[in-house]
Amino acid sequence: TAALLVFPVAYILNDCIAEVWGFQKAQFIIWCGFAMNFLAALFYQISVLLPPAPFWEHQDAYSTILSQKPRIAAASLLAFLAGSFLNAFVMSRMKVLSAGKHFSLRAIVSTLAGETIDSLLFFTVAFAGILPLKSMLLMVVTQTLLKSGYEALILPVTVRAVRYIKQVEQIDIYDKGISYNIFKINKL
């Protein structure tokens, strides 16, 4: 799926943000990403419903590409939120527990956790009752491993980027004593 291209990058950015600026900054970015995804899906639906120009001959193709079924859209949005927040939470908690050591391990473990719940939720909500359970499980495992493998491959670049940002920003947040309630938005 296209998620194999997009989500590893999102998780790498999420890891960097949670590592340098902490969970609450990651929370803000995740909610912004969710809002943008929601708005994009909404505007795509509106654009498909609008009458095409009289000279436009490709409305069926346009509709096929841009329209999303509500079930797929809901699955995508739910999976994005759950996976992203789990990724940031695991990164944050592991950082405190490891006293900031082992960034590479934290990045891989947090991504595995986030990608697993993301893929599990997406395929379950989107395709339960449509695809056989065995096929859905295969897709969950395959996507999780491929996305996490991509992060592992790019990890040397991520490590350098995090070191550089910490040095330039002169910041390294440890999330001690914070609330991990994702709906507590007064701190955003």
Side-chain angles (χ1 to χ4, degrees):
T1 66
L4 283 171
L5 303 173
V6 175
F7 278 86
V9 174
Y11 277 71
I12 290 166
L13 293 173
N14 191 342
D15 286 346
C16 292
I17 292 165
E19 174 67 17
V20 177
W21 293 284
F23 180 83
Q24 290 177 332
K25 184 64 76 175
Q27 178 185 19
F28 174 73
I29 300 298
I30 292 165
W31 279 118
C32 286
F34 175 81
M36 293 302 101
N37 284 335
F38 180 81
L39 286 174
L42 179 65
F43 286 126
Y44 288 152
Q45 291 303 325
I46 291 169
S47 75
V48 167
L49 295 173
L50 293 173
F55 59 84
W56 180 247
E57 299 174 4
H58 305 290
Q59 188 62 24
D60 288 339
Y62 181 83
S63 295
T64 299
I65 292 169
L66 288 182
S67 65
Q68 287 187 343
K69 300 296 181 217
R71 185 173 175 176
I72 299 294
S76 179
L77 292 169
L78 175 66
F80 170 79
L81 278 180
S84 296
F85 277 120
L86 183 59
N87 180 70
F89 172 78
V90 170
M91 176 62 84
S92 171
R93 293 301 302 143
M94 284 183 73
K95 181 176 183 178
V96 171
L97 293 172
S98 69
K101 294 179 173 42
H102 314 296
F103 171 74
S104 296
L105 176 64
R106 291 185 281 119
I108 297 299
V109 170
S110 67
T111 295
L112 278 169
E115 294 290 5
T116 299
I117 197 68
D118 176 282
S119 296
L120 188 62
L121 282 172
F122 176 76
F123 287 113
T124 301
V125 173
F127 300 115
I130 297 170
L131 296 176
L133 180 61
K134 186 176 178 179
S135 296
M136 289 190 325
L137 288 174
L138 179 63
M139 288 188 288
V140 167
V141 170
T142 301
Q143 285 235 119
T144 299
L145 292 176
L146 287 173
K147 291 175 187 176
S148 299
Y150 176 81
E151 176 154 353
L153 280 172
I154 202 78
L155 194 57
V157 174
T158 307
V159 169
R160 285 184 189 94
V162 165
R163 280 189 199 137
Y164 177 78
I165 294 167
K166 284 181 179 182
Q167 182 181 8
V168 168
E169 293 279 324
Q170 294 294 303
I171 193 165
D172 189 10
I173 301 291
Y174 284 77
D175 293 320
K176 295 180 181 176
I178 69 159
S179 170
Y180 286 99
N181 180 346
I182 64 170
F183 300 107
K184 192 172 186 177
I185 58 172
N186 63 337
K187 298 272 183 177
L188 297 180

